[in-house]
Amino acid sequence: QKEVEQNSGPLSVPEGAIASLNCTYSDRGSQSFFWYRQYSGKSPELIMSIYSNGDKEDGRFTAQLNKASQYVSLLIRDSQPSDSATYLCAVNIGGNNRLAFGKGNQVVVIP
Amino acid sequence: EAGVTQSPTHLIKTRGQQATLRCSPISGHTSVYWYQQALGLGLQFLLWYDEGEERNRGNFPPRFSGRQFPNYSSELNVNALELEDSALYLCASSPVRGSDSPLHFGNGTRLTVT
């Protein structure tokens, strides 16, 4: 089983719609979870961090964490063409700040 | 505040050669991480340095090595380069060892092995 899995293929959403991304992880002891955005040819940039069960909102982004089910999700509301990027889920493995990353989900926002 | 800086931006080497990549963390950050992002494989953890010591290592052969200097900057060395080493190498830093703070990435070094 992979440490972090993002199974969905490319996601195309119309401008203004909600994009929903999901991620599952294998380490039950993980306590820190992050979403990064990576534009083509660029480095990952942090957009959300979440540590407790429930929802965390930051602008148009909402992260949701369910430790019992070992999943974390990201919602992007009012999607904009500038949101077109690959979104990486990252989980702190083993409590030593080694982040394991999923392969990412490509989001394409269609004007 | 200056971010994580990496050099060079691009590096072209031939198979069998050695490559040296450099990273300067954000001021005040003591931990430096190296990741490899090869096409289609996602980010793979390579090495973690803190306070000059190697703290953790990913599933890579020993020809991937590095070090951290007293000023917390770091160097990644890849010996006996192979074609599959072609990738984007990302350096990241965080302020405190063992904390749950996120990593801050540099812009990467794109290594091409021919």
Side-chain angles (χ1 to χ4, degrees), chain B residues 9-110:
Chain B
T9 305
H10 294 88
L11 190 58
I12 300 174
K13 294 285 186 178
T14 57
R15 195 169 48 183
Q17 285 188 316
Q18 178 194 40
T20 298
L21 290 64
R22 296 180 177 84
C23 171
S24 292
I26 293 171
S27 178
H29 286 195
T30 61
S31 276
V32 170
Y33 299 77
W34 289 95
Y35 282 81
Q36 181 196 67
Q37 189 174 34
L39 201 61
L41 290 181
L43 274 82
Q44 303 293 316
F45 169 73
L46 263 167
L47 291 159
W48 169 29
Y49 291 95
D50 183 80
E51 298 286 355
E53 302 273 335
E54 182 181 300
R55 301 294 180 181
N56 203 352
R57 182 182 182 85
N59 188 24
F60 281 84
R63 57 191 187 83
F64 287 83
S65 65
R67 54 180 172 168
Q68 186 179 32
F69 300 99
N71 66 353
Y72 303 117
S73 67
S74 177
E75 194 174 87
L76 174 68
N77 295 294
V78 188
N79 294 320
L81 285 165
E82 300 179 2
L83 295 178
E84 52 265 35
D85 297 333
S86 295
L88 180 67
Y89 288 83
L90 292 162
C91 173
S93 71
S94 72
V96 180
R97 173 162 62 101
S99 77
D100 290 327
S101 59
L103 302 185
H104 303 266
F105 286 90
N107 288 328
T109 293
R110 185 162 296 282

Side-chain angles (χ1 to χ4, degrees), chain A residues 24-56:
Chain A
T24 58
Y25 60 93
S26 61
D27 181 6
R28 281 202 168 273
S30 295
Q31 298 294 324
S32 319
F33 308 87
F34 309 94
W35 284 98
Y36 285 81
R37 177 176 62 198
Q38 187 174 26
Y39 293 113
S40 181
K42 303 294 185 182
S43 62
E45 57 177 324
L46 179 73
I47 53 172
M48 290 288 287
S49 57
I50 186 166
Y51 305 96
S52 304
N53 280 328
D55 296 359
K56 180 181 178 182

